[in-house]
Amino acid sequence: MDNQGQDPIETPGSYRPDLPDWGVYLSWPEAGESWIHSEDVALAKHLVPSQRIFRRSAWDGSYYWLHYGELRLRVKPTMWVRVAQVDLDVGCQVEVLSRHGKNEAGIFRVGDILWEPHDGRVAFYLLRDNLPLKRSFSRQDLRPLHVRHNLRTGYFEHPAARFSVPDDVELLDVGDLFSDP
């Protein structure tokens, strides 16, 4: 069940959906366990079905890599309910905003991120000293204490810098700098 290794390297020529995306398994999506990676079956049985919102981060050509906080499991393409992007993760420290006295302000840790299908919203359940608070919070009630900046590379091809000197510029001759004396 220890699948906390590194993310997969994509197989060349394989289909890659737009990732990351978020979703929930409100029911067991398929008969049997063949849709789950053999090393992840026990974890999947513990987490699915539920209202937990998983982040689907990678596609290795056979399996999607799903994350729920530090937990990671691999599943074949199956039906799930796609939800809006969630920019917080289980385990993140957040500040609860007072919002004009509506909330008791403080510093907490995200314990669960659940989809509430009857409201169509994401609900954050918080922990204080590993004890859960009784009510859920919306994203507008929370401010993350640590902001992760992700820079995406590879969208633009930048040409290599070239050194070109106009013909009318006089250059200083410094000799051969790389020869041994």
Side-chain angles (χ1 to χ4, degrees), residues 88-155:
L88 297 175
D89 212 353
V90 173
C92 290
Q93 280 191 315
V94 294
E95 174 187 5
V96 172
L97 304 174
S98 170
R99 307 232 349 211
H100 304 292
K102 176 184 165 199
N103 300 321
E104 179 184 340
I107 305 297
F108 302 89
R109 189 166 300 278
V110 176
D112 272 316
I113 303 173
L114 304 180
W115 175 249
E116 294 186 348
H118 56 281
D119 295 336
R121 71 177 190 100
V122 176
F124 295 87
Y125 289 85
L126 305 179
L127 302 172
R128 175 181 272 163
D129 299 324
N130 291 329
L131 297 173
L133 284 115
K134 292 181 181 178
R135 64 176 282 246
S136 67
F137 294 86
S138 70
R139 177 61 181 91
Q140 291 79 20
D141 294 327
L142 308 175
R143 180 183 306 150
L145 292 186
H146 306 284
V147 178
R148 287 185 237 152
H149 297 282
N150 295 319
L151 299 177
R152 294 186 176 185
T153 58
Y155 285 122

Side-chain angles (χ1 to χ4, degrees), residues 34 45 124 134 179-180:
S34 62
K45 285 182 175 181
F124 295 87
K134 292 181 181 178
S179 64
D180 290 331

Side-chain angles (χ1 to χ4, degrees), residues 8-9 26 33-34 43 47 50 58 60 80 94 107 109 115-116 135 137 165 169 174-175 179 181:
I9 298 172
L26 297 174
E33 301 165 356
S34 62
L43 181 59
L47 297 175
S50 71
D60 65 10
W80 75 337
V94 294
I107 305 297
R109 189 166 300 278
W115 175 249
E116 294 186 348
R135 64 176 282 246
F137 294 86
V165 179
V169 174
V174 292
S179 64

Side-chain angles (χ1 to χ4, degrees), residues 10-19 56 58-62 64 77:
E10 288 187 31
T11 308
S14 68
Y15 168 73
R16 186 181 76 79
D18 291 333
L19 298 175
R56 187 164 58 174
W59 167 252
D60 65 10
S62 298
Y64 286 116

Side-chain angles (χ1 to χ4, degrees), residues 158-164:
H158 296 284
R162 287 187 246 154
F163 180 71
S164 63

Side-chain angles (χ1 to χ4, degrees), residues 176-180:
D176 189 4
L177 297 176
F178 299 106
S179 64
D180 290 331

